[in-house]
Amino acid sequence: MDLCDTPEEAEFRARLREWLHEVLPGLPPKPDPADWPGRRAYDLGWQRTLYDAGYADVHRNASPALRMIFLEESEKAGAPYVGANFVGLLHAGPTIAAEGTDAQRARWLPPILRGEEVWCQGFSEPDAGSDLAALRTRARRDGDDYVVTGGKIWTSHAEVADWCELLVRTDPDAPRHHGITWLAMPMDAEGVTVRPLRTLAGSAEFAEVFLDEVRVPAANRVGAENDGWRVTMVTLSFERGTAFVGEVVACRRTLRQLACGARENGRWDDPALRRRLGRLDAEFRALWRLTQWNVSAAMAGGGVPGVGGSVFKLRYSAARQELYDTAADVLGPDALDLDRPWVLDRLSSLSYTIAAGTSQIQRNIVAERMLGLPKGR
Amino acid sequence: MRFQLSEDQRALKMGVRRLLERRFPREALRAAVDAPGRIDRELWRALGEAGFFALTLPEAEGGVGLGRPEAVLAFEEAGRALLPGPLVATHLAAGAVPGAAAGETVVAAVGGALVEWLDAADVVRGDTSGAVPLRSVDPLTPLHRVPRPAAADPLAVLLTAAEQLGGAVRLSELAVQHARTRQQFGRPIGAFQAVQHLCADLLVRAETARAAVYAAAVTGDPGDIAAARLLADEAAVRGARDCLQVHGGMGFTWEADVHLHLKRAWVRAQRNGSVTDSEELLAAGLVS
Ligand SMILES: Cc1cc2nc3c(=O)[nH]c(=O)nc-3n(C[C@H](O)[C@H](O)[C@H](O)COP(=O)(O)OP(=O)(O)OC[C@H]3O[C@@H](n4cnc5c(N)ncnc54)[C@H](O)[C@@H]3O)c2cc1C
C-alpha cells in the first residue's frame, strides 16, 4: 500500500506540470456558455494543443494511474475541462477502441484525438431513461443501410456534435436486452433534427434529437447486430469509471476558495459553517483516495474500474451538491444573484445525482451486483 | 502508485481475523457482555504473543517492526470482532510501559475527557485525578470521566478510526446476511428496494471510510487522519443505525449484536475528543 509515484509516473507528472505551466497563459479567453460555436472551437482547440504535445491519447492508451495524474495536474493547473469532447474522449472513443473494427478505429479515433470531431451520446429516450433497455427508436435494415426512426432526449452537446453514439432497436421481437444495436450516426444526415432544451440553469446544455428515416450505413455498426447491450455496458463502465475523477480536484480548489471567501465576508466566524467546510474537506479527501483505490484495483485486475465506480459516483454526486449548498451559505443573499460565482455551479450540480445513472439506480447496482442481494422490486 | 494491500498485508489482516475468530468467538463476546468490566488476561496475552501490541515497535526493541498501515489493518480486525479492552492505549504504550508489548500489562489512558477501563488496567497514563465513574452505555467498555481532558494523539485517532472502519464493515455484513435470509411478504426482505438502499449506503460509507483510513495510515498527515476519523465515525455510527433498521424488531433486542456495535461506535466517537475538533482542524487547513 503506497501513494507514491513510480519513477515513470513522477517523470510524467513533472513533464506535464512544466508543459501546462508554459502553455496555459497563452490560452484564449473562455467563451460565453451560451456561445455554442465558440465553445466547440475552444474545446477542440485545447484538444488539438494536447494532441500536438503528445497528451491527446492519455485518456485511452495510458495506464489508469497516468490518466489520474493527467486529470489531477490539469485540474490543479486550471487547464480547460474536456467540455464538448467528453463523449468522444471518455466513452465513444474507448468503446470504439475496445469493440470496433480496425477500419472503424482508423476512421473515428484520430479525429477525436486531433480535436476535429465532436461526439454526443444518444442513449436516453423520453420513455427510456433509467430503464435504458426500454428504448424504442427503431432501425430496419435496407440494403447497406439502417433506416432509423424515433427520438432521443437529454442529448448533451447535440447542437455541435458531428457524430452520435446511438442505441437503436433492431429486433423488436427479441427480449428487451437482446434486440439492441450500437451505431455511429452522422449528425448531419438527412432526417436528424435537433431541438435544444433549456436547462434549469437557463442554458441549453442538452437537446432533443428527432430521427425521421435517417439512413446510417451498416458499416457504422460497432459490435454485432442485436449485441448492442453488451457494447453499451462497455460504454457505461467507461462513463462511470473515470469520467468524474478530475472534478474532485476541482472541488477541492473550490472548497479552499469558499473558505477564503467566508473569511473575507465574516461568515467564517460561524462555527457551524466552519464545521461544514471541514467535513466537506474530509469528504473530498476521501473521494480522491477512493478513486486512487479503485484505479489501483483496476490496474491490479488488469481492466477498467468495475462497480466501485458506483460507490464513487453516489458519494461524489451528493458531495458536489453539498459543496455548492455550502457556497450558498457563505454567500448569503448573494446566492440568489446569477452573476455571482458558484451560483450557476450550484444549479448545474443538481444534475449530478441524475445524469449517468441516478443515485437510486447506483444503489440498485451496489445492492445487487456488489452485495448480491436478490433482484429488486 | 499501488494503493492496494500487499500480499503480506493481506496475510497479516487475515491472520488477525483468524486469531480473533478462534480466541474471541461470538460465545466469548456474549460471555463478556454477561460479565462486564473484566479483561480476559489469557486473550490479552495471546494478542501480545501474536505481536498485536508490538506491531510497530522496532525489532531492536523486541517489536515486529512493521508500519502504521499494518497497525491499522490489525485494528480494523479488532473493530470488526468488537474486541473489548483498552487496545489502542496498550498498543501505544508498547515500548514505554514494561509488559505492554507482550500483553502482560494492560494499559489504559486518558483520551479526550474519558478513560476506558480505568479500574481493570494495570497502568493508567494521563491525569486521572478527580475521575468520576459513568454508568457506561456500552456494556463492554467501563468509562470514567476526567475533569482535565487530554489532547488527542493523532496515532490514537487513526487507530480508533481503523476500529470504527472494522465495525462498519461488520455491520454491513450483518445487514446483508439478515436481508438475504429474513422473509416477509413471501420473499427475502433484501429483494425490497428500500432495504437494498439501506444496505447499499452501509457499504458505500464503509468503503469510502476505508479509502480515507488507509490513506491516512500511509501518509500520517494530520489532515488525512482527521478526515479518516470523520468518515469512519460516520460509517460506524450511521451504519449501526441502518443495520438495526434492517433487523427490525430483532435489531432492538439485547440478543442481537447490533446494539453492541452501535454503543461501541458511540464510545469510540468520543475517544480522543469530539468530531468537532477534527472538523475545525480541517477547516483551519483550508485557509492556511
Ligand atoms: C444534465 C444531463 C445530461 C444528460 N446527458 C445525456 C446524454 O448526453 N445522453 C443520454 O443518452 N442521456 C443523457 N442524460 C440522461 C440521463 O442519463 C437520464 O436523465 C437518467 O438516466 C435518468 O433517466 P430519466 O431522466 O428518464 O428519469 P427516470 O428514469 O424517469 O427517473 C425518475 C425518478 O425515478 C427514479 N427511478 C427510476 N427507475 C427507478 C428504479 N428502478 N428504482 C428506483 N428509482 C427509480 C429515478 O432515480 C428518478 O428519481 C442526461 C441527463 C442530464 C440531467
Side-chain angles (χ1 to χ4, degrees), chain B residues 92-166:
Chain B
L92 292 177
V97 174
E104 301 290 343
T105 312
V106 175
V107 184
V110 180
L114 295 170
V115 197
E116 300 168 32
W117 295 96
L118 177 64
D119 294 335
D122 304 314
V123 175
V124 183
R125 301 170 99 194
D127 181 3
T128 57
S129 51
V132 182
L134 309 183
R135 202 157 72 81
S136 176
V137 67
D138 176 10
L140 287 164
T141 312
L143 291 170
H144 282 73
R145 203 186 159 123
V146 293
R148 276 169 299 278
D153 171 352
L155 200 49
V157 177
L158 176 66
L159 294 178
T160 300
E163 282 189 71
Q164 294 284 57
L165 166 64

Side-chain angles (χ1 to χ4, degrees), chain A residues 121-124 129-130 153-156 206 351 354-358 360-361 364, chain B residues 193:
Chain A
Q121 181 189 40
F123 284 11
S124 304
S130 299
I153 198 166
W154 321 127
T155 318
S156 302
F206 47 34
S351 75
I354 299 169
T358 69
Q360 285 69 39
I361 295 298
N364 293 351
Chain B
Q193 200 176 51

